[in-house]
Amino acid sequence: MFQRFFAFLALSAALLTFAQAQEPQSNLQRTKFTAGMYQIDAQIAQTPEQRQIGLMFRKEMPQAEGMIFVFEQPATQCFWMKNTLLPLTAAFVADDGRIVNLVDMNPMSEDSHCSKEPVRFVLEMNQGWFARKNIKEGSKLGGELFASRR
């Protein structure tokens, strides 16, 4: 009887963990910065767990919002879209705020998309946002996040 009870508890805990993993993260710290004359309100994914979950399971995102992934040091960063429902564009960003490259990423894909050079920041926005604002490779993002690294 105790074995069944503990098996039930273990199964319940596993299902609860899986259900929580299916929820988008929404309580991350936020920051604001600029891209040309446009303002972006971004959630900050800075821990390994936050970066791993990213925008997974999110069904919608306002147009002027995104998520910025912050890494400890510059490296070639590669992203994929497993469990991500929204089409996104990733901007790989150097320490000084310069956009190194932009990559459109399709939902639910395990295709890898990488930075062209080592970066510490990756900004994900709704797909097409950068193109509609005429923000391209070489454009600069401005704000406190980048000001201290210039």
Side-chain angles (χ1 to χ4, degrees):
M1 180 157 173
F2 284 116
Q3 289 177 331
R4 284 186 185 174
F5 177 72
F6 287 119
F8 174 76
L9 281 179
L11 178 61
S12 297
L15 289 174
L16 181 61
T17 301
F18 179 74
Q20 288 173 336
Q22 299 288 321
E23 291 293 318
Q25 42 186 0
S26 58
N27 60 346
L28 297 179
Q29 180 182 349
R30 301 182 86 86
T31 187
K32 293 185 189 242
F33 49 90
T34 59
M37 64 183 201
Y38 304 99
Q39 186 156 344
I40 297 170
D41 180 14
Q43 291 183 305
I44 305 170
Q46 53 193 352
T47 68
E49 181 181 349
Q50 291 169 346
R51 292 189 301 252
Q52 181 179 2
I53 296 170
L55 290 169
M56 285 182 180
F57 311 112
R58 185 145 327 170
K59 294 179 182 164
E60 60 186 13
M61 184 168 62
Q63 283 302 306
E65 291 187 16
M67 181 173 284
I68 188 146
F69 297 77
V70 180
F71 295 88
E72 290 76 22
Q73 52 190 288
T76 299
Q77 306 297 344
C78 295
F79 278 57
W80 63 349
M81 297 283 286
K82 183 177 182 180
N83 298 321
T84 305
L85 308 173
L86 302 171
L88 301 172
T89 300
F92 296 95
V93 183
D95 278 0
D96 64 355
R98 176 180 51 88
I99 296 176
V100 171
N101 61 301
L102 294 162
V103 180
D104 286 340
M105 302 185 299
N106 294 320
M108 305 299 286
S109 170
E110 293 187 21
D111 293 343
S112 187
H113 306 280
C114 301
S115 59
K116 290 183 179 177
E117 63 184 64
V119 297
R120 286 195 40 222
F121 305 103
V122 180
L123 172 62
E124 289 183 341
M125 299 288 289
N126 285 304
Q127 194 173 97
W129 187 89
F130 294 99
R132 285 190 301 279
K133 308 297 185 197
N134 200 28
I135 297 168
K136 302 176 179 179
E137 292 180 16
S139 297
K140 288 251 185 145
L141 303 180
E144 288 182 26
L145 195 59
F146 311 108
S148 63
R149 292 169 175 81
R150 287 187 176 160

